[in-house]
Amino acid sequence: QVQLVESGGGLVQAGGSLRLSCAVSGRTFGSYYMGWFSQAPGKEREFVAAIRWSGFSTYYADSVKGRFTISRDNAKNTVYLQMNSLKPEDTAVYYCAARQGLYSGNSNLYHYWGQGTQVTVSS
């Protein structure tokens, strides 16, 4: 059974940093893309970043380019989202997700999801 477990969320002041982790278990993800999505209250789930499990392709939403970095540690079966220069508008629940095949920023095309971790950025 596939499991994605996020951790690392919390409360931080504007301009601060957080690193989210997504521990992956249950299968091998060689041909998968791993993504991070955010969902603020009353809003739809939005794409943040994605990385291919094998290889070096990464993708970012325009709103986080230059501030967030997605990476992975295959030995630890973990995907990370380093979040720097955080803004109050980054406040949301952040979800880790996985899909097999080509890159997509469409959350509806991801097959597996974690439970989410709350990120709150105070002004």
Side-chain angles (χ1 to χ4, degrees), residues 102-116:
L102 301 177
Y103 156 73
S104 175
N106 184 343
S107 61
N108 292 322
L109 299 181
Y110 280 73
H111 312 297
Y112 303 106
W113 290 87
Q115 82 289 350

Side-chain angles (χ1 to χ4, degrees), residues 4 6 20 33-40 44-51 61 64 68 70 81 83 90-99 103-119:
L4 306 178
E6 303 97 333
L20 306 183
Y33 269 90
M34 305 299 298
W36 285 97
F37 291 80
S38 66
Q39 188 166 21
E44 294 187 352
R45 197 165 293 187
E46 296 182 343
F47 170 74
V48 176
I51 187 168
V64 306
F68 292 8
I70 189 170
L81 184 68
M83 310 166 67
D90 294 321
T91 295
V93 177
Y94 284 74
Y95 296 91
C96 176
R99 76 176 302 274
Y103 156 73
S104 175
N106 184 343
S107 61
N108 292 322
L109 299 181
Y110 280 73
H111 312 297
Y112 303 106
W113 290 87
Q115 82 289 350
T117 185
Q118 176 71 46
V119 171

Side-chain angles (χ1 to χ4, degrees), residues 19-121:
R19 189 177 79 159
L20 306 183
S21 299
C22 174
V24 180
S25 63
R27 67 166 301 130
T28 58
F29 282 80
S31 62
Y32 277 66
Y33 269 90
M34 305 299 298
W36 285 97
F37 291 80
S38 66
Q39 188 166 21
K43 294 189 176 181
E44 294 187 352
R45 197 165 293 187
E46 296 182 343
F47 170 74
V48 176
I51 187 168
R52 186 168 170 80
W53 189 259
S54 57
F56 301 97
S57 299
T58 57
Y59 301 85
Y60 295 94
D62 288 343
S63 60
V64 306
K65 282 181 182 176
R67 299 190 299 123
F68 292 8
T69 302
I70 189 170
S71 63
R72 70 179 191 286
D73 185 332
N74 289 18
K76 295 183 178 180
N77 279 355
T78 301
V79 179
Y80 303 99
L81 184 68
Q82 179 66 45
M83 310 166 67
N84 298 330
S85 302
L86 282 161
K87 305 175 181 180
E89 51 263 43
D90 294 321
T91 295
V93 177
Y94 284 74
Y95 296 91
C96 176
R99 76 176 302 274
Q100 188 174 18
L102 301 177
Y103 156 73
S104 175
N106 184 343
S107 61
N108 292 322
L109 299 181
Y110 280 73
H111 312 297
Y112 303 106
W113 290 87
Q115 82 289 350
T117 185
Q118 176 71 46
V119 171
T120 303
V121 184

